[in-house]
Amino acid sequence: MKDQYDTKGSYVTEGQEFKRDTNYITDRILADPEAEWPVESGRYRLIAARACPWANRTMIVRRLLGLEDAISIGMPGPTHDKRSWTFDLDEDGRDPVLGIERLQEAYFARFPDYPRGITVPAIVDIPSGAVVTNDYNQITLDLSSQWREHHRPGAPELYPEHLRAEMDPLIKLIFTEVNNGVYRCGFAGSQEAYESAFTRLFDALDTLEDRLESRRFLMGETITEVDVRLFTTLVRFDAVYYSHFKCNRQRLVDFPNLWAYARDLFQTPGFGDTVDFVQIKQHYFIVHTDINPTQIVPVGPDLSGWLSEHGRDERFGGSPFGEGTPPGPPSAHDSVDPAHTAEAWIS
């Protein structure tokens, strides 16, 4: 039996349906000075590769909430081996704050015999050099709820209490059927498993397409956590998932509402300015050698459409930040290489 490994340490066995390993380090950083891991500006470092959709969501939320000064960020390069993500983009191949070459070192500093995948995003305690959590589902929720003291003025309310009863089922749908659904297609171990995954994915996308017919964002007139979670899959869809993961009933650009919605988000500060299309493509097409043994990275598709008019502001009104304000421009350290952006496709 042959195993194929995905970017989060999960695998699929030939002939079977893809199963994601969802056992993570579930420690939380809390707004409680007596907690094992208390909120403390400057103490923690977020490790998040631009290529990874799960990590990308933490980068977006950190930007939207203005937590750049409170939580520093380290960014591994787009490729990794079975051992770990590496800091190959940094000088001397080491994270300049943690001083490590591989993220694996931070996991082993906490758990010397850590048996699972070395995944991003991960939050590392700088004084000890040990990983605190890699629970990507909870990390962004805690950035919203536990780090309020460090939010910028005008930061959005991404997980408002009065909407959670409606949001939580939508979060579950987006994770199981879309975020994970594209992987279920790409890592299917049989034709039957692939076709089942394919149907589930596009049924969910059709449901979201219908929902966005009558509202600007998934919860109404302003952005929330669910928009962040859907966006990181949508922004990778045509560039990677359509071809690489065989999610090819139709492209994102063929969904009128989803495509306009995705462009609306992409052009909102904090979303598109975190997206590195070159690293995204390099990651999937180079790392997944079972799917793409030649490791050839496609040149296309043309990405300039991400900057085209979406018309959803005129159609629905509202504002991404409601009564708040957008974040300022990213710092030089947080900025994407201009050659890796949608603007690079405009001649």
Side-chain angles (χ1 to χ4, degrees):
M1 304 291 277
K2 186 178 182 182
D3 291 340
Q4 302 177 75
Y5 289 83
D6 89 326
T7 57
K8 296 198 73 60
S10 304
Y11 64 90
V12 61
T13 301
E14 188 173 340
Q16 297 183 12
E17 179 182 339
F18 168 76
K19 300 290 186 183
R20 180 173 297 282
D21 183 350
T22 55
N23 293 299
Y24 296 107
I25 303 167
T26 57
D27 288 22
R28 296 175 61 191
I29 300 171
L30 301 174
D32 175 0
E34 302 302 318
E36 180 180 6
W37 306 107
V39 166
E40 184 179 328
S41 181
R43 176 173 174 176
Y44 304 100
R45 187 160 176 83
L46 171 65
I47 306 302
R50 291 196 185 278
C52 171
W54 319 95
N56 192 185
R57 70 168 64 164
T58 64
M59 302 173 89
I60 292 170
V61 171
R62 175 177 172 268
R63 282 267 294 124
L64 294 176
L65 299 179
L67 291 170
E68 293 97 326
D69 291 337
I71 306 172
S72 66
I73 190 168
M75 290 178 276
T79 62
H80 62 78
D81 56 26
K82 287 186 178 180
R83 286 178 58 197
S84 178
W85 295 85
T86 60
F87 295 97
D88 49 305
L89 301 180
D90 289 305
E91 187 176 357
D92 300 325
R94 291 182 178 274
D95 180 84
V97 172
L98 301 174
I100 58 178
E101 294 179 336
R102 289 177 170 272
L103 180 56
Q104 184 184 59
E105 297 174 54
Y107 278 74
F108 287 172
R110 176 87 185 279
F111 304 106
D113 299 316
Y114 188 72
R116 315 196 81 87
I118 307 299
T119 64
V120 292
I123 296 183
V124 177
D125 176 51
I126 296 172
S128 66
V131 66
V132 175
T133 179
N134 65 345
D135 186 358
Y136 65 93
N137 181 61
Q138 188 64 42
I139 287 173
T140 51
L141 299 180
D142 284 346
L143 293 180
S144 286
S145 64
Q146 302 299 313
W147 289 81
R148 288 182 179 275
E149 180 183 350
H150 302 283
H151 288 185
R152 65 179 177 84
E157 182 67 63
L158 294 177
Y159 193 49
E161 288 195 29
H162 70 284
L163 292 178
R164 290 180 188 178
E166 182 181 358
M167 288 178 67
D168 288 345
L170 193 54
I171 284 173
K172 182 178 180 180
L173 170 76
I174 290 169
F175 170 71
T176 59
E177 307 305 308
V178 181
N179 300 149
N180 198 43
V182 292
Y183 283 85
R184 194 183 295 115
C185 289
F187 284 93
S190 69
Q191 186 70 32
E192 181 181 14
Y194 163 69
E195 291 183 9
S196 173
F198 184 94
T199 298
R200 288 176 60 180
L201 169 65
F202 282 97
D203 283 350
L205 289 175
D206 288 339
T207 297
L208 295 167
E209 171 76 4
D210 290 343
R211 184 180 181 93
L212 291 166
E213 174 68 28
S214 60
R215 62 188 76 198
R216 183 170 177 185
F217 303 107
L218 285 170
M219 297 305 300
E221 295 186 343
T222 60
I223 56 172
T224 62
E225 174 82 17
V226 291
D227 298 301
V228 176
R229 295 188 180 211
L230 181 57
F231 172 78
T232 59
T233 295
L234 296 184
V235 81
R236 289 161 173 77
F237 199 90
D238 288 1
V240 174
Y241 302 143
Y242 178 85
S243 59
H244 186 59
F245 280 172
K246 307 179 186 69
C247 302
N248 58 0
R249 192 191 80 179
Q250 64 200 93
R251 301 165 301 165
L252 176 64
V253 300
D254 300 320
F255 287 93
N257 296 322
L258 278 167
W259 173 227
Y261 160 82
R263 298 195 324 269
D264 193 357
L265 291 176
F266 186 86
Q267 295 167 32
T268 297
F271 284 85
D273 54 30
T274 70
V275 175
D276 187 313
F277 284 110
V278 171
Q279 287 197 28
I280 288 169
K281 291 195 294 183
Q282 287 175 340
H283 171 71
Y284 287 94
F285 289 100
I286 292 174
V287 170
H288 297 160
T289 54
D290 281 344
I291 298 176
N292 186 41
T294 65
Q295 298 181 295
I296 293 171
V297 179
V299 174
D302 183 342
L303 301 168
S304 60
W306 281 100
L307 303 174
S308 63
E309 291 289 333
H310 54 79
R312 290 181 70 81
D313 44 357
E314 293 88 351
R315 180 179 174 187
F316 296 111
S319 169
F321 298 97
E323 296 180 357
T325 58
S331 67
H333 176 262
D334 282 14
S335 295
V336 176
D337 183 337
H340 295 188
T341 64
E343 285 89 346
W345 281 84
I346 299 176
S347 57

